[in-house]
Amino acid sequence: MTQAPMFASDNASGVHPAIMAALADANRGHALGYGADELTARANRAFKQLFGDQAESFLVYNGTGANVIALKGLVRSFEAVFCSAESHLWIDEAGAPEQFLGAKLITLPAHNGKIRIDDMRPRLGDIGFQHRSQPRVISLAQCTERGSVYRPDELGAFCDFARAHGFYVHIDGARIHNAVAALGGDCKRLFTELGVDVVSFGGTKNGLMVGEAVVVLNPALQVQYPVIRKHGMHLASKMRFLAAQFLAYFEDDLWLHNAAQANAMAAYLAERLKAVPQARLVAPVETNMLFVELPNDWLAPLQQQAYFHVWRADSSPGRSEVRLVMSFDIERAHVDAFVARMGQLATQEQ
């Protein structure tokens, strides 16, 4: 196992020590299964503290499962989900949403990761037209696959648009922690009060070993989710081990501290890159991800320093766009070493 830091994904980081300790503490004695244990009850209360008393949470294993189960309670097979053409739903879930929902995904252009209401308006004519899939859900990634965030006024506009047309709003929150840390840390203000219906709440990219949650904010939808989770093969037998992680995650706002650290390291790297003329930021840095265009001959040496993914090869002559993702355990020394390696490569070119 490598000990070197990686900028490939926040999935590459390990488990936060407090989370690992919570798992060990939960591994004592016996407890009822399938969520009938005290730790799961406490975790549900913790989610209510974050999102409001009307919220009900359903713990699941992974992000794809969270998205599919969240959407299953919102859409029928003849209906459709609006999502970004860059979304995880569309690009990186191997067709699981369409397979398990039986519904259609309608992709919209991504503008620095975000979709626009105006791009949905042409599809409003499909409503009630028997030859078309019926639009029903707007799925928004918060933060987006480009690391951008929907500001409260933007998200509020989507919720208003959805209510006006009988749609639901789903948040793909695989990196919700980074978005909330960037926007002020108040889930009630950022989601519940705006009218979001269901949130896929991530954890594994921010210090958990395994586990995500489906948080249903709309009380009218909640009754069906226990069965949907079981039907979707995400009802954990020993659920206390998922719940224990979230309890440690929320204690003393560990989840926000982890996310703030990752965001801060992304901002720090962006600042350091200003001194590297050969490195060009492709988009503003809002959370824990940077998209940077670099010379092609720098890629392999820099990947040895801190491995990362090439996002768009040969994005311009002799250069490629790469994605650099900061995790909760990245420190300034890791960033400084990476930038120092860039300096060495620049000197070799002279």
Side-chain angles (χ1 to χ4, degrees):
M1 183 176 115
T2 181
Q3 299 297 317
M6 300 179 71
F7 296 166
S9 171
D10 30 18
N11 285 323
S13 61
V15 179
H16 191 280
I19 304 299
M20 194 68 81
L23 284 166
D25 287 342
N27 193 33
R28 302 175 190 273
H30 287 211
L32 292 173
Y34 302 110
D37 61 282
E38 176 57 25
L39 291 180
T40 301
R42 287 171 53 197
N44 192 44
R45 291 196 293 270
F47 276 105
K48 287 179 180 292
Q49 288 184 330
L50 280 181
F51 286 95
D53 288 340
Q54 81 278 27
E56 292 293 338
S57 58
F58 302 88
L59 305 185
V60 298
Y61 291 114
N62 60 37
T64 297
N67 281 339
V68 170
I69 288 165
L71 291 170
K72 184 70 173 177
L74 304 178
V75 67
R76 293 170 289 183
S77 60
F78 58 86
E79 294 175 328
V81 179
F82 290 116
C83 62
S84 161
E86 292 182 354
S87 67
H88 206 273
L89 281 179
W90 179 247
I91 299 291
D92 287 315
E93 293 185 342
E98 290 176 312
Q99 165 70 13
F100 287 97
L101 301 175
K104 184 179 182 62
L105 300 183
I106 299 175
T107 60
L108 302 172
H111 307 273
N112 190 30
K114 296 192 283 190
I115 62 174
R116 295 175 178 173
I117 289 174
D118 283 347
D119 290 324
M120 288 186 282
R121 295 189 191 280
R123 302 304 296 258
L124 295 179
D126 294 348
I127 298 174
F129 185 47
Q130 65 181 346
H131 298 288
R132 304 284 172 81
S133 295
Q134 297 297 290
R136 179 61 63 191
V137 180
I138 304 170
S139 181
L140 304 169
Q142 180 76 317
C143 59
T144 74
E145 288 75 11
R146 281 276 174 176
S148 56
V149 295
Y150 291 94
R151 306 292 169 180
D153 61 325
E154 294 175 304
L155 185 52
F158 276 101
C159 290
D160 291 343
F161 179 82
R163 282 191 291 270
H165 297 286
F167 301 161
Y168 296 120
V169 175
H170 163 252
I171 297 295
D172 179 350
R175 292 185 175 94
I176 194 171
H177 37 271
N178 299 107
V180 173
L183 292 171
D186 187 340
C187 288
K188 292 178 187 176
R189 177 179 63 86
L190 296 174
F191 302 104
T192 310
E193 293 173 3
L194 295 177
V196 170
D197 294 287
V198 181
V199 175
S200 299
F201 191 97
T204 53
K205 296 181 186 295
N206 195 40
L208 268 62
M209 177 183 287
V210 59
E212 317 278 303
V214 176
V215 186
V216 186
L217 303 179
N218 185 337
L221 301 170
Q222 290 165 354
V223 65
Q224 56 197 342
Y225 274 94
V227 176
I228 290 172
R229 177 174 59 179
K230 176 67 174 184
H231 181 67
M233 298 169 283
H234 273 262
L235 178 62
S237 172
K238 297 183 179 180
M239 197 178 295
R240 60 176 158 152
F241 294 102
L242 297 182
Q245 295 178 83
F246 277 106
L247 289 171
Y249 193 53
F250 294 143
E251 186 172 356
D252 296 326
D253 286 335
L254 175 64
W255 71 293
L256 287 178
H257 292 306
N258 283 359
Q261 172 67 13
N263 291 356
M265 289 303 96
Y268 179 61
L269 177 52
E271 184 64 26
R272 290 296 314 274
L273 289 179
K274 291 179 181 178
V276 184
Q278 298 90 336
R280 184 181 71 86
L281 276 173
V282 175
V285 178
E286 298 184 56
T287 52
N288 69 321
M289 287 184 278
L290 302 89
F291 291 83
V292 184
E293 195 176 71
L294 296 172
N296 284 339
D297 55 2
W298 286 22
L299 301 184
L302 286 174
Q303 285 174 322
Q304 292 177 357
Q305 181 67 42
Y307 188 78
F308 55 83
H309 292 306
V310 176
W311 206 249
R312 196 156 60 99
D314 298 315
S315 53
S316 64
R319 297 166 63 81
S320 292
E321 181 183 339
V322 307
R323 187 186 74 166
L324 307 173
V325 184
M326 301 295 106
S327 303
F328 72 91
D329 55 355
I330 296 298
E331 301 174 356
R332 285 193 171 214
H334 301 134
V335 173
D336 290 340
F338 190 73
V339 176
R341 187 70 181 104
M342 288 183 169
Q344 294 171 356
L345 293 168
T347 299
Q348 291 170 11
E349 289 182 347
Q350 295 177 356

